[in-house]
Amino acid sequence: MNTDGRVNKKAINMLRIEMALRNSITKAATAATLERQIFDFLGYQWVPILANFLYIMAIILGIFGTIQYRPKYLVMYAGWLVLWVAWNTFIICFYLEVGQLSRDRDFVMTFNTSLHRSWWMQNGPGCVATQVTSADQAPEDHHVITVSGCLLDYQYIEVTSSSLQILLALCGFVYACYVSKVFMEEEDSFDFIGGFDSYGYQAPQKTSHLQLQPLYTIPSRNTGQNKQGTSWS
């Protein structure tokens, strides 16, 4: 096998690895986000629902940028991943009550429109929810419950979910930066958007189609002198 064949085979293998890596990252990120979206809907967590929807749109943008060789879309995708990491970091701090945050007092996840908590609060592994019928402090259309027997508290489930999102986002960020760098290098070495500069291609010179050519002559009769007038086009 000659040198060119070995180089081409190596390039093909690298391309297959990159495609497999892209598919693995995007599939894992999409599955984890859809799973989170479902449980956020069940828990009426409106802020996470909106954030998850925007993240799914960003994943679609990243896939489109990779398939269509658009490095700018990948840069936008990488920028959104930075915001996604920051958002999940806030969720971790919120459920662990870092600083002045309180998961029992603040209702930022529902835009302060309801008292709903995470779906995992009542439906976590081993959790048994019991309604307190004698409670008078519950607002209208709400009821007070006690939860016991949980093998894992809901806040740790939310922290684990956010940690997984951060890990996948970091992998996606590295991948997006690498692929966008490769695309930009290809654009520099070869006019990637349909050009032929690297092959020494030159566009044909434009020729003028407006050169004046005599078409016919008109004899002139002025004071006995034969003069010819020329018409040009």
Side-chain angles (χ1 to χ4, degrees):
M1 183 181 294
N2 56 21
T3 304
D4 294 338
R6 289 195 296 267
V7 172
N8 292 334
K9 185 176 181 180
K10 183 179 180 180
I12 293 174
N13 291 333
M14 289 297 297
L15 180 61
R16 289 177 178 174
I17 294 174
E18 292 175 6
M19 294 293 290
L21 181 62
R22 181 200 70 184
N23 292 335
S24 300
I25 294 175
T26 53
K27 287 180 180 179
T30 304
T33 306
L34 290 176
E35 174 268 335
R36 189 176 187 178
Q37 185 79 314
I38 292 172
F39 292 114
D40 286 337
F41 264 115
L42 294 175
Y44 304 99
Q45 304 295 290
W46 305 120
V47 178
I49 288 172
L50 177 61
N52 295 335
F53 175 78
L54 294 176
Y55 182 52
I56 293 174
M57 294 297 101
I59 293 176
I60 296 175
L61 181 66
I63 295 175
F64 179 80
T66 303
I67 295 176
Q68 297 295 324
Y69 301 97
R70 302 294 180 88
K72 293 183 179 180
Y73 290 171
L74 290 173
V75 172
M76 295 173 60
Y77 172 62
W80 171 256
L81 289 178
V82 174
L83 298 177
W84 185 245
V85 170
W87 165 248
N88 283 278
T89 302
F90 169 77
I91 292 179
I92 293 175
C93 295
F94 175 78
Y95 282 106
L96 294 181
E97 297 186 325
V98 176
Q100 301 297 322
L101 296 174
S102 174
R103 61 178 178 270
D104 296 325
R105 185 180 66 253
D106 300 328
F107 300 96
V108 294
M109 298 300 172
T110 60
F111 288 115
N112 291 322
T113 58
S114 69
L115 301 178
H116 290 97
R117 305 293 185 181
S118 171
W119 182 83
W120 295 106
M121 182 178 182
Q122 304 178 38
N123 302 277
C127 292
V128 177
T130 304
Q131 182 175 351
V132 180
T133 57
S134 60
D136 298 330
Q137 65 271 26
E140 186 178 358
D141 299 331
H142 288 75
H143 58 270
V144 178
I145 61 172
T146 59
V147 180
S148 59
C150 295
L151 300 177
L152 185 64
D153 291 337
Y154 76 97
Q155 62 267 27
Y156 299 116
I157 297 177
E158 295 287 355
V159 168
T160 302
S161 177
S162 296
S163 300
L164 177 61
Q165 292 290 340
I166 291 176
L167 178 61
L168 294 174
L170 292 177
C171 293
F173 179 83
V174 173
Y175 169 79
C177 292
Y178 169 73
V179 175
S180 60
K181 180 177 179 295
V182 171
F183 288 169
M184 290 178 181
E185 289 177 352
E186 290 181 353
E187 285 183 349
D188 293 336
S189 60
F190 173 72
D191 192 7
F192 196 79
I193 311 300
F196 298 92
D197 292 342
S198 61
Y199 291 94
Y201 174 81
Q202 294 181 354
Q205 298 292 332
K206 292 183 178 180
T207 58
S208 175
H209 296 283
L210 299 178
Q211 295 179 356
L212 299 178
Q213 301 291 338
L215 296 181
Y216 56 88
T217 60
I218 302 175
S220 176
R221 298 176 182 178
N222 291 330
T223 64
Q225 298 179 356
N226 292 331
K227 296 183 180 179
Q228 292 182 341
T230 303
S231 174
W232 302 84
S233 65

